[in-house]
Amino acid sequence: MRKNTTNVPDLSYLQLDGAMTVFYQLNTAELVGAALKRNEGVLADTGALAIDTGEFTGRSPKDRFIVEDDITRDTVWWGKVNFKFDAEKFDALLQKVTGYLSQGEIFVRDCCACANEKYYIDIRVVTETAYQNLFAHHLFLRPEVPDATLVPGWTIIAAPGFKADPEVDGTLRHNFSIINFTKKIILIGGTAYTGEIKKGIFSVLNFILPHEKKVLSMHCSANIGAKGDTAIFFGLSGTGKTTLSADPERNLIGDDEHGWCDDTIFNFEGGCYAKCIDLTAEKEPQIFNAIKFGALLENINFIKRTRTVDFSNIGKTENTRVAYPLYYISNAVIPSTGHLPKNIFFLTADAFGILPPVSKLTVEQAMYHFISGYTAKVAGTEAGITEPKATFSACFGEAFLPLNPVNYAELLGNKIKKHNVKVWLINTGWTGGAYGTGKRMQLKYTRAMISAALSGELDNVKYTVHPVFNLQMPQSCPNVPDNLLNPSNTWADAEIYNEKANDLAIAFIKNFRRYAPFCKSEIINAAPKVTESTLVT
Ligand code: ATP
Ligand code: MN
């Protein structure tokens, strides 16, 4: 093995002891330099590194597996999102991947996750490309003094150029992301989409924290106001976690993954991974200004004959992204922890234009909607999705949850009750009709509704009850036109609205059948009320 410095960790535990050159713990400038030298990308005019991830520009949930072993066999909720992988096949595939990586250059980085030292885990990331290592450098936390002699808690191996042979290797396709809880290894191959790296560790934490430590792990963003009031924003991809948590009036704790223990909220990560589609300095100034030297732009296009990013160009994918460390946002909280939340927002991008743009939930409704995890997926983040489609994903992140979702919901419900937290459902999606007829709620109005909820201005207004979903809808909200607050007013025909609301409610009820056997009756009773005759099957 050739080493770029003498201080290189022993990688023999991975059988990585071939003739490769190892670059250990390069800093941002060195990684950008290496990426340019290796023709992985080019610099944009703001200094950010722009790369393409190739075949995959989003995660590939069907190709994500968990090794079945003594730890996972009776604990993981196998089925819908957690697919089994054979332990021996894993060992064989690991050997093939490390053999492949032993041929060239590799980038090794020691980092960690969880901004709360009680739950801190060490992570070693071994990547085939310099830019994936830069991604890990930005998204994970940085240890004060990296220790190359340490055998890390977890190791992630990312080899995008390695293609599996499904027949021999036991994968579904040539790309894969496999978690092995016994070996503490995440093995990623055949895909260069960097999001797989961060979501791999997120899945691990979603197992370890609730199962072993009784800490709630959450797919949410978090920010904190001047008075120390924390707010958290749950939501599936594209619903607004990153966008709405970047708020100049509040300090950012984190944009995607957090833990909730007895006394604090803490970020798992050290960076942000923001969408770039239609980004403007006016609408999203903080994200826009973070796209500077060191930031990693993915799958963007430039304006012809320039190195200026054309944020409206979605020629490669709608899921264009930028990764940057948290401190690129001027008002980030470091270390990223906060007091227990006073407000929780469930974000949904309802493509049917049915759910009210802001509504207040009871504890039971909160648990019902948390377990339902409804949204309409916006194109691009997952392979094969090309237009918005209604989806349910428990806890607003079922794809990353190894345990039965009801475990997480119970932890959340207990915390909401114990700390008397207000819970709001925010529809950042369509108004005035479904996708195609209506249009997306303007960001400035969503921001105004959230501000009003946070400041307490929605505590003393009158509310209307939604006829189907039973949600409390405010009749007025500062800086938002009254007529937007009740979705039925925004539709051309209120009767059609009611019909469609009933249809969506049926979809909720059918989806919930999967979870109902594990839930108390008061949660099941928080379901929307549909016309009985329409719910036949
Ligand atoms: P991911 O889990 O993939 O990171 P996310 O929940 O962080 O997703 P964002 O990256 O914030 O989602 O994406 C929301 C997108 O929707 C942004 O591109 C934002 O500009 C756009 N958008 C349009 N209207 C709204 C609105 N009313 N509220 C929030 N976002 C909106
Ligand atoms: Mn995000």
Side-chain angles (χ1 to χ4, degrees):
M1 157 179 13
R2 289 201 291 135
K3 305 172 174 184
N4 71 315
T5 69
T6 47
N7 182 26
V8 163
D10 179 6
L11 299 170
S12 56
Y13 72 103
L14 300 170
Q15 294 158 337
L16 251 172
D17 39 20
M20 72 280 176
T21 304
V22 181
F23 294 99
Y24 178 60
Q25 216 68 359
L26 299 193
N27 63 34
T28 296
E30 290 168 331
L31 284 170
V32 172
L36 294 174
K37 191 169 155 216
R38 291 163 47 92
N39 289 321
E40 291 177 8
V42 298
L43 289 185
D45 59 5
T46 63
L49 175 67
I51 58 95
D52 286 341
T53 60
E55 182 183 359
F56 292 93
T57 55
R59 284 184 308 101
S60 193
K62 294 210 158 49
D63 301 292
R64 185 275 221 170
F65 303 88
I66 295 177
V67 172
E68 185 184 22
D69 55 25
D70 290 346
I71 300 175
T72 59
R73 191 167 296 112
D74 302 320
T75 47
V76 167
W77 210 40
W78 303 107
K80 189 177 164 195
V81 297
N82 296 310
F83 309 119
K84 289 180 185 175
F85 204 84
D86 180 77
E88 279 176 23
K89 291 251 183 221
F90 179 89
D91 292 346
L93 186 56
L94 173 64
Q95 203 169 358
K96 271 170 98 169
V97 174
T98 52
Y100 165 82
L101 288 175
S102 299
Q103 312 298 317
E105 296 179 337
I106 58 168
F107 297 83
V108 179
R109 149 148 265 106
D110 283 340
C111 37
C112 45
C114 296
N116 178 328
E117 55 190 28
K118 261 206 243 167
Y119 307 107
Y120 189 89
I121 61 166
D122 295 302
I123 306 167
R124 178 165 293 155
V125 188
V126 178
T127 64
E128 183 182 358
T129 65
Y131 75 82
Q132 286 175 303
N133 213 267
L134 181 64
F135 177 84
H137 189 38
H138 290 339
L139 262 294
F140 293 127
L141 288 160
R142 302 176 182 183
E144 272 167 32
V145 192
D147 181 358
T149 61
L150 202 89
V151 176
W154 277 80
T155 302
I156 305 175
I157 301 174
F162 175 91
K163 289 189 180 6
D165 175 352
E167 300 243 314
V168 180
D169 299 320
T171 56
L172 190 66
R173 296 191 290 171
H174 65 269
N175 61 303
F176 53 89
S177 172
I178 312 169
I179 305 173
N180 187 324
F181 279 92
T182 298
K183 299 231 151 121
K184 296 188 163 49
I185 293 174
I186 301 174
L187 187 61
I188 301 169
T191 168
Y193 185 63
T194 55
E196 300 279 9
I197 295 175
K198 80 179 217 101
K199 285 301 199 298
I201 282 294
F202 186 44
S203 298
V204 167
L205 290 168
N206 279 326
F207 182 84
I208 298 174
L209 292 180
H211 187 63
E212 295 170 10
K213 321 236 178 203
K214 298 291 165 228
V215 168
L216 175 61
S217 53
M218 309 177 288
H219 188 213
C220 71
S221 60
N223 65 19
I224 184 162
K227 294 185 192 133
D229 58 307
T230 301
I232 57 179
F233 304 79
F234 285 97
L236 286 161
S237 187
T239 57
K241 292 184 299 299
T242 300
T243 305
L244 297 168
S245 58
D247 176 346
E249 303 298 315
R250 299 170 62 82
N251 294 329
L252 180 69
I253 299 174
D255 91 325
D256 200 50
E257 307 171 5
H258 292 83
W260 182 340
C261 57
D262 283 342
D263 50 354
T264 51
I265 293 285
F266 59 95
N267 195 345
F268 293 164
E269 302 182 295
C272 301
Y273 192 41
K275 271 187 258 304
C276 294
I277 181 172
D278 294 333
L279 188 69
T280 64
E282 293 69 36
K283 278 194 298 186
E284 298 175 62
Q286 292 183 306
I287 296 171
F288 192 90
N289 292 328
I291 306 181
K292 56 186 182 185
F293 180 79
L296 177 67
L297 282 163
E298 296 181 357
N299 304 315
I300 53 89
N301 283 289
F302 292 116
I303 295 169
K304 251 196 181 148
R305 285 184 292 277
T306 74
R307 289 287 181 85
T308 303
V309 181
D310 179 355
F311 290 111
S312 66
N313 187 328
I314 51 167
K316 291 173 192 159
T317 174
E318 288 194 22
N319 189 33
T320 53
R321 292 268 181 172
V322 58
Y324 48 85
L326 209 61
Y327 65 83
Y328 276 25
I329 297 269
S330 56
N331 54 353
V333 183
I334 295 168
S336 317
T337 63
H339 303 296
L340 299 184
K342 292 227 176 320
N343 288 279
I344 295 176
F345 296 94
F346 292 160
L347 308 175
T348 177
D350 174 18
F352 297 106
I354 299 298
L355 294 179
V358 54
S359 54
K360 204 172 174 176
L361 308 186
T362 62
V363 179
E364 291 74 27
Q365 285 175 335
M367 290 184 72
Y368 183 86
H369 281 270
F370 187 61
I371 294 170
S372 297
Y374 166 70
T375 194
K377 211 160 260 175
V378 176
T381 303
E382 285 179 15
I385 304 236
T386 49
E387 62 177 37
K389 181 181 160 222
T391 95
F392 293 91
S393 175
C395 311
F396 300 101
E398 189 164 4
F400 322 116
L401 303 183
L403 305 175
N404 184 326
V406 176
N407 289 284
Y408 307 89
E410 273 173 6
L411 281 171
L412 183 73
N414 291 340
K415 288 177 187 296
I416 292 172
K417 275 186 229 156
K418 183 168 170 199
H419 304 290
N420 212 1
V421 189
K422 284 186 256 181
V423 185
W424 309 87
L425 180 65
I426 303 282
N427 179 5
T428 67
W430 277 254
T431 175
Y435 174 82
T437 312
K439 56 182 186 352
R440 188 134 187 214
M441 180 60 65
Q442 287 188 49
L443 188 50
K444 64 175 181 190
Y445 292 140
T446 301
R447 287 201 201 275
M449 293 173 215
I450 287 171
S451 297
L454 289 171
S455 67
E457 286 166 295
L458 294 185
D459 291 345
N460 302 313
V461 300
K462 287 198 181 131
Y463 280 79
T464 312
V465 177
H466 190 280
V468 179
F469 281 85
N470 275 329
L471 303 165
Q472 298 276 337
M473 307 181 285
Q475 292 177 8
S476 62
C477 174
N479 304 315
V480 179
D482 287 354
N483 75 313
L484 282 183
L485 296 170
N486 184 339
S488 118
N489 294 339
T490 67
W491 283 51
D493 186 332
E495 224 165 277
I496 296 181
Y497 171 82
N498 280 336
E499 252 172 55
K500 298 286 178 193
N502 206 63
D503 289 349
L504 182 62
I506 291 170
F508 265 82
I509 289 166
K510 286 188 175 163
N511 169 68
F512 207 83
R513 286 178 181 157
R514 198 173 137 74
Y515 309 98
F518 310 101
C519 292
K520 297 202 179 93
S521 59
E522 58 260 37
I523 301 172
I524 300 167
N525 292 340
K529 302 285 173 255
V530 300
T531 327
E532 282 301 327
S533 61
T534 54
L535 190 64
V536 184
T537 49

